[in-house]
């Protein structure tokens, strides 16, 4: 389907919409598209490549897509670039009555006002430098900078109380230079060129997500371009990189990026005591087997090191800092695979992933690097394997039921050797080495319901957890229920209230030290109870115009943390 216009071709782009549905859409299936940047709606038909719109003015636009017999799809802030095909892939569900000649137009029934940031909003936000964490820290309820390392703290919670997901796969950190029990350092790990949108929820956490108390951050990656291969070279304030993307056949797209830092060179010129070096690699391979199934393989890795500027210009500040700061390496990798299958009103998801974080640090007397001068040797490793099966059933336009099971196999390791002074101020050594295998199983159920003529949206869900290291052995004693009600008093005003109970095991560093000290103290999951009221005024469908007022009250009682008896 072509859109004619009088604009020069260099200011025009292409939009390709690929619907994921249980049934094959025939070439006779009519489609109506309304773009926010054009005054008229366009009517066409589905092809074997989905829906292709040519000659669209470059810039940002919203799209309302109506497919006969299916619920409408709203896509916000699509970036149309000149001479490039932008691919948008969305799941569409059949309406309760399928008519060939009647347009079924309805608002999406299962949308709740979480904090949603699109790529365009992240890109335009001043001061973020294309960094996801800096964008989040500019929002209410997020502590701007609690200390060194740019740790993320939501509503007063600790940084290890957050959960991060990349295309639904758990990831331990969003930044380079992550340390055990924290969320990362000052440099972003995720390439912004991959990001489609990011959602942030600090209340009524999704039921399938366990081991989180404060917030859940979901990052969704965009589709690769389908017309031809292309790339992008970038140079930021601290690194340079390259990104390549393009099709591998008609149904497969691949994105690959690599970045390397150069900040260590000019930091050395400024006589900074620590010289950080980092590099990362990210990829995403997405293929569609049929009209109703797809496979996603994605991964990301960061390799960091921090060295001391022992050759810098001599000064009191430099000598003091390099005298006690250690040097070491940090590695963080994640890889996952997901398979989805759609039927008429059901969706099946099976996914598995591996997440690994390694920290090493050493400190030598006078920074000599000699074995006899070793004062500190630190090594930690967190290897986690995730597996999830999820089933969604939509019996009616305004009802949806989701069930699933999760399992996590974690191997935690910590080794510390350090020279120190004992109680008599005599030279002594401290050595500790511990390994803790952690097994977690959980099952969850969630119900969405929309009543009162699409004005009252309700969500009820519950999750049951079991940890092998917990002193509570019955999974029915660790229940995390939640209820969320959203009332739409008008098209612009939403009133939401939620109550939830969540559980989380103590951080890995606490479990490891508890095991190293042979503590007999009982280990119980930390519990939080949170009540929230949210009043939102949405000026328009453009995210940049959305304004909201939030009132949040939370209470987090802590159970016994690991300690020596």
């Amino acid at each position: 389907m072509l859109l004619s216009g009088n604009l020069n071709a260099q200011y025009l782009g292409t939009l390709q919409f690929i619907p994921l549905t249980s049934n094959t859409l025939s070439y006779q299936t009519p489609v109506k598209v309304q773009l926010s940047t054009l005054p008229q709606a366009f009517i066409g038909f589905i092809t074997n490549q989905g829906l292709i719109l040519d000659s669209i003015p470059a810039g940002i636009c919203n799209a309302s897509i109506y497919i006969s017999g299916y619920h409408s799809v709203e896509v916000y802030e699509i970036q149309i670039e000149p001479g490039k095909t932008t691919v948008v892939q969305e799941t569409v569900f059949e309406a309760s009555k399928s008519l060939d000649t009647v347009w079924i137009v309805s608002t999406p029934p299962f949308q709740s006002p979480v904090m949603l940031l699109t790529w365009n909003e992240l890109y335009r936000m001043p001061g973020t430098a294309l960094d996801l964490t800096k964008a989040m820290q500019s929002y209410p309820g997020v502590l701007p900078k609690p200390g060194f390392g740019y740790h993320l703290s939501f509503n007063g919670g600790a940084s290890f109380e957050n959960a991060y997901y990349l295309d639904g796969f758990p990831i331990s950190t969003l930044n380079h230079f992550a340390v055990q029990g924290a969320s990362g350092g000052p440099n972003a790990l995720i390439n912004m060129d991959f990001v489609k949108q990011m959602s942030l929820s600090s209340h009524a956490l999704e039921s399938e997500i366990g081991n989180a108390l404060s917030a859940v951050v979901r990052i969704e990656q965009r589709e690769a371009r389908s017309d031809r291969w292309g790339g992008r070279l970038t140079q930021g304030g601290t690194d340079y990189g390259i990104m390549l993307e393009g099709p591998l056949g008609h149904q497969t797209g691949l994105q690959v990026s690599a970045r390397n830092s150069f900040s260590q060179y000019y930091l050395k010129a400024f006589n900074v005591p620590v010289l950080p070096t980092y590099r990362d690699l990210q990829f995403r391979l997405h293929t569609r087997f049929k009209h109703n199934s797809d496979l996603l393989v994605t991964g990301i890795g960061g390799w960091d090191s921090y060295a001391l500027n022992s050759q810098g210009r001599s000064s009191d500040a430099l000598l003091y800092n390099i005298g006690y700061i250690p040097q070491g390496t940090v590695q963080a990798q994640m890889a996952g695979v997901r398979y989805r299958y759609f039927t008429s009103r059901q969706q099946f998801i099976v996914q598995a992933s591996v997440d690994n974080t390694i920290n090493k640090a050493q400190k030598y007397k006078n920074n000599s690097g000699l074995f006899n001068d070793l004062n500190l040797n630190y090594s930690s490793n967190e290897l986690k394997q995730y597996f999830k099966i999820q089933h969604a059933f939509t019996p009616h336009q305004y009802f949806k039921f989701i069930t699933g099971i999760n399992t996590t196999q974690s191997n935690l390791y910590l080794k510390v050797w350090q020279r120190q002074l004992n109680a008599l101020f005599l030279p002594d050594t401290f050595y500790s080495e511990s390994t803790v295998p952690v097994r977690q199983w959980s099952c969850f159920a969630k119900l969405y319901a929309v009543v009162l003529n699409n004005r009252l949206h309700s969500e009820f869900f519950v999750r049951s957890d079991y940890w092998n290291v917990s002193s509570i052995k019955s999974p029915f004693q660790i229940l995390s229920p939640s209820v969320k009600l959203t009332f739409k008093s008008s098209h612009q005003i939403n009133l939401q209230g939620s109550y939830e109970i969540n559980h989380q095991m103590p951080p890995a560093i606490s479990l490891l030290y508890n095991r190293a000290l042979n503590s007999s103290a009982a280990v119980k999951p930390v519990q939080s109870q949170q009540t929230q009221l949210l009043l939102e005024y949405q000026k328009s469908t453009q995210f940049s115009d959305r304004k909201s007022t939030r009132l949040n009250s939370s209470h987090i009682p802590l159970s016994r943390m690991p300690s020596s008896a």
Side-chain angles (χ1 to χ4, degrees):
M1 182 170 61
L2 297 178
L3 304 180
S4 61
N6 297 324
L7 296 177
N8 191 288
Q10 63 178 335
Y11 299 107
L12 301 178
T14 302
L15 173 63
Q16 180 181 10
F17 174 72
I18 302 175
L20 284 177
T21 178
S22 59
N23 300 320
T24 303
L25 295 177
S26 66
Y27 295 164
Q28 302 300 320
T29 303
V31 181
K32 181 171 70 173
V33 179
Q34 177 67 65
L35 299 178
S36 60
T37 55
L38 297 175
Q40 295 181 348
F42 301 91
I43 299 177
F45 298 93
I46 291 291
T47 69
N48 59 349
Q49 296 297 319
L51 178 66
I52 299 179
L53 306 179
D54 293 325
S55 303
I56 300 178
I60 303 173
C61 69
N62 298 338
S64 299
I65 304 173
Y66 309 101
I67 303 176
S68 179
Y70 292 82
H71 296 304
S72 63
V73 177
E74 305 287 339
V75 184
Y76 298 108
E77 294 205 348
I78 305 172
Q79 179 69 38
I80 304 297
E81 298 185 13
K84 180 179 178 181
T85 298
T86 301
V87 180
V88 175
Q89 180 175 282
E90 296 288 342
T91 303
V92 295
F93 294 95
E94 289 185 271
S96 56
K97 294 182 180 181
S98 179
L99 303 175
D100 292 334
T101 58
V102 177
W103 293 106
I104 297 180
V105 179
S106 62
T107 57
F110 305 119
Q111 290 187 350
S112 57
V114 298
M115 190 180 299
L116 184 64
L117 304 174
T118 65
W119 180 89
N120 290 287
E121 189 172 17
L122 293 169
Y123 184 82
R124 298 193 306 264
M125 189 172 295
T128 60
L130 300 181
D131 190 330
L132 295 173
T133 58
K134 292 183 177 63
M136 286 186 285
Q137 289 170 343
S138 65
Y139 274 78
V142 185
L143 196 59
K145 188 179 178 182
F148 174 78
Y150 298 85
H151 306 321
L152 292 174
S153 176
F154 297 87
N155 298 328
S159 59
F160 63 82
E161 296 177 359
N162 310 322
Y164 309 105
Y165 287 79
L166 182 65
D167 274 344
F169 299 105
I171 182 172
S172 58
T173 181
L174 300 180
N175 286 3
H176 287 279
F177 301 100
V179 295
Q180 202 168 31
S183 55
N187 304 105
L189 176 63
I190 297 177
N191 191 337
M192 274 283 294
D193 291 332
F194 277 71
V195 176
K196 174 185 176 183
Q197 63 185 22
M198 177 182 68
S199 64
L200 192 159
S201 177
S202 59
H203 62 283
L205 306 181
E206 299 292 339
S207 63
E208 71 270 19
I209 299 175
N211 232 22
L213 295 180
S214 295
V216 171
V217 178
R218 290 180 176 270
I219 300 171
E220 183 179 349
Q221 300 180 97
R222 65 175 180 84
E223 297 295 327
R225 60 185 302 177
S226 60
D227 54 342
R228 64 180 185 273
W229 277 89
R232 181 178 181 183
L233 296 173
T234 59
Q235 179 174 334
T238 59
D239 56 45
Y240 60 91
I242 182 174
M243 176 185 176
L244 299 175
E245 61 173 326
L248 295 177
H250 295 293
Q251 304 295 331
T252 304
L254 175 65
Q255 298 162 280
V256 179
S257 77
R259 297 184 299 181
N260 188 45
S261 68
F262 60 84
S263 57
Q264 64 271 20
Y265 300 110
Y266 64 74
L267 290 178
K268 184 176 183 179
F270 286 110
N271 214 37
V272 176
V274 180
L275 305 177
T277 303
Y278 64 91
R279 57 188 59 88
D280 56 57
L281 175 68
Q282 187 173 352
F283 73 93
R284 185 179 192 270
L285 176 68
H286 185 216
T287 183
R288 298 180 300 278
F289 297 118
K290 299 179 181 179
H291 59 277
N292 62 344
S293 63
D294 67 346
L295 179 70
L296 173 65
V297 181
T298 187
I300 188 171
W303 296 266
D304 316 322
S305 63
Y306 48 98
L308 299 177
N309 187 12
S310 58
Q311 303 299 322
R313 298 184 302 275
S314 179
S315 66
D316 293 339
L318 179 66
L319 294 176
Y320 172 77
N321 284 284
I322 66 175
Y324 77 93
I325 297 178
Q327 55 187 355
T329 60
V330 181
Q331 297 182 32
Q333 300 99 23
M334 187 279 294
V337 57
R338 181 194 69 194
Y339 176 75
R340 295 188 302 181
Y341 178 78
F342 303 88
T343 63
S344 178
R345 295 189 177 277
Q346 302 181 72
Q347 181 188 71
F348 298 90
I349 298 178
V350 179
Q351 69 178 49
S353 64
V354 177
D355 184 82
N356 189 30
T357 304
I358 302 174
N359 282 268
K360 294 183 178 180
Q362 297 84 31
K363 184 61 182 178
Y364 295 88
K365 181 180 179 181
N366 298 325
N367 301 314
S368 65
L370 301 177
F371 177 78
N372 293 333
D373 292 336
L374 183 64
N375 287 333
L376 171 67
N377 187 11
Y378 175 92
S379 177
S380 68
N381 185 16
E382 295 185 27
L383 177 62
K384 301 179 181 180
Q385 304 173 41
Y386 300 92
F387 181 76
K388 181 175 78 169
I389 300 177
Q390 180 175 303
H391 171 247
F393 176 56
T394 309
H396 188 270
Q397 175 182 356
Y398 296 111
F399 291 92
K400 186 176 183 180
F401 189 64
I402 301 177
T403 57
I405 57 174
N406 290 305
T407 177
T408 303
Q409 312 290 324
S410 303
N411 293 315
L412 312 178
Y413 173 77
L414 174 66
K415 183 177 72 173
V416 179
W417 184 92
Q418 184 176 13
R419 295 183 189 270
Q420 60 183 14
L421 298 179
N422 59 20
L424 300 178
F425 298 98
L426 297 176
D428 198 357
T429 59
F430 169 81
Y431 176 77
S432 173
E433 184 174 5
S434 59
T435 302
V436 179
V438 180
R439 307 293 182 260
Q440 177 188 359
W441 296 270
S442 63
C443 58
F444 60 89
K446 182 189 306 184
L447 173 65
Y448 293 90
V450 181
V451 295
L452 298 181
N453 195 23
N454 198 26
R455 300 186 67 180
L456 180 61
H457 294 218
S458 58
E459 301 179 21
F460 307 91
F461 44 83
V462 63
R463 186 187 69 252
S464 175
D465 297 301
Y466 171 79
W467 288 276
N468 66 322
V469 296
S470 173
S471 60
I472 303 177
K473 298 304 181 182
S474 174
F476 299 101
Q477 296 180 1
I478 309 179
L479 293 178
S480 301
S482 178
V483 58
K484 179 167 62 175
L485 301 176
T486 304
F487 180 73
K488 295 184 176 183
S489 60
S490 67
H491 293 290
Q492 296 179 322
I493 300 178
N494 295 326
L495 177 62
Q496 182 185 101
S498 64
Y499 174 78
E500 60 183 319
I501 299 176
N502 287 297
H503 294 87
Q504 182 186 41
M505 287 301 295
I509 192 69
S510 298
L511 296 177
L512 287 165
Y513 268 111
N514 197 54
R515 177 67 60 87
L517 297 176
N518 296 319
S519 172
S520 60
V523 178
K524 296 181 180 180
V526 184
Q527 175 181 282
S528 71
Q529 302 180 39
Q530 185 175 137
T531 303
Q532 174 156 325
L533 289 176
L534 170 66
L535 177 63
E536 182 181 59
Y537 170 74
Q538 186 171 333
K539 184 177 180 180
S540 69
T541 57
Q542 291 284 350
F543 287 95
S544 58
D545 295 333
R546 184 174 59 184
K547 299 179 180 179
S548 61
T549 302
R550 299 168 182 254
L551 175 63
N552 182 24
S553 175
S554 60
H555 174 58
I556 306 179
L558 301 179
S559 63
R560 291 182 61 186
M561 301 291 287
S563 61
S564 59

